[in-house]
């Protein structure tokens, strides 16, 4: 059984066919990339998967559970967490507070425990802080836990978004252009982080990415969208040599330039 399965997902906005019968499967232990030119439907697919949009047709199953029609918070509770193309941190909260907010879907403290300040509440509060500090360390932000989020560098804010997403204890982590705006060193550092997440922290990762070095370096499988249709899928080496991908997305020269050092 696949961890995630999308079957014939379609989504239209007025006269624009944003997604046209898109299907994909994601297995446990896998890092998969979703690539394609701007406007290909990649983020629309993420938004449909996470309940922000409802598909016009098709089926989404996660651990064999249907997701279509569930609200975003229910999908998060089911085990899917994401980052966004445009960073969405609480800028005037600290690093630690941002990660704790990400953990709220897994908090099982009752309102009475909070209001009464019971021992159970304090014990769970301390456990949450320990877990948040673990995620802060994991994402390379040790020592910054008391810093306002808006004072972090762009790359650090990206890492904080990942830490916050991990706070929800997802089984599947969705990353929308996680290395956008980063230099080569920062991008390679994140690649190593992603590889280390699968197994200990998440069961699988699906990412939207334009950096072909990242795609080729970490993906077990690549799915290619163009004008809302999936035009190719396979191992990165297969996709790189697919004539339709070369023509529709990158062009031979640009693919080679971005896929190699």
């Amino acid at each position: 059984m696949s961890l995630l399965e999308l079957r014939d997902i379609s989504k239209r906005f007025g006269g624009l066919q944003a997604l046209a019968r898109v299907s994909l499967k994601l297995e446990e232990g896998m890092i998969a990339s979703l690539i394609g030119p701007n406007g290909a439907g990649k983020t629309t697919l993420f938004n449909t998967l996470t309940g922000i949009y409802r598909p016009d047709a098709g089926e989404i199953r996660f651990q064999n559970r249907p997701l279509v029609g569930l609200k975003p918070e229910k999908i998060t509770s089911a085990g899917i967490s994401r980052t966004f193309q445009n960073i969405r941190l609480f800028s005037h909260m600290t690093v630690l507070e941002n990660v704790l907010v990400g953990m709220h879907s897994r908090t099982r403290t009752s309102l009475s425990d909070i209001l009464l300040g019971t021992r159970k509440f304090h014990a769970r509060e301390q456990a949450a802080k320990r877990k948040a500090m673990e995620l802060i360390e994991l994402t390379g932000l040790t020592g910054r836990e008391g810093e306002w989020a808006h004072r972090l560098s762009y790359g650090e804010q990206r890492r904080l978004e990942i830490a916050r997403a991990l706070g929800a204890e997802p089984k599947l982590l969705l990353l929308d252009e996680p290395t956008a705006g980063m230099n080569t060193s920062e991008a390679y550092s994140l690649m190593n982080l992603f590889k280390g997440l699968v197994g200990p922290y998440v069961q699988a990762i699906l990412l939207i990415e334009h950096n072909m070095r990242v795609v080729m370096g970490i993906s077990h499988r690549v799915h290619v969208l163009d004008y809302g249709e999936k035009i190719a899928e396979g191992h990165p080496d297969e996709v790189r040599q697919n004539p339709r991908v070369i023509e529709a997305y990158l062009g031979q020269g640009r693919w080679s330039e971005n896929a190699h050092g």
Side-chain angles (χ1 to χ4, degrees), residues 30-43:
M30 181 180 289
I31 298 177
S33 290
L34 187 63
I35 70 171
N38 291 331
K42 303 182 299 296
T43 296

Side-chain angles (χ1 to χ4, degrees), residues 30 36 73 117 121 128 179 193 200 209 218 239 255:
M30 181 180 289
E73 59 270 23
F121 165 71
T179 70
L193 171 63
E209 186 55 68
I218 66 172
V239 170
W255 179 277

Side-chain angles (χ1 to χ4, degrees), residues 66-78:
L67 296 186
V68 172
L70 296 183
K71 294 182 178 181
E73 59 270 23
K74 293 293 186 181
I75 292 175
T76 300
S77 296

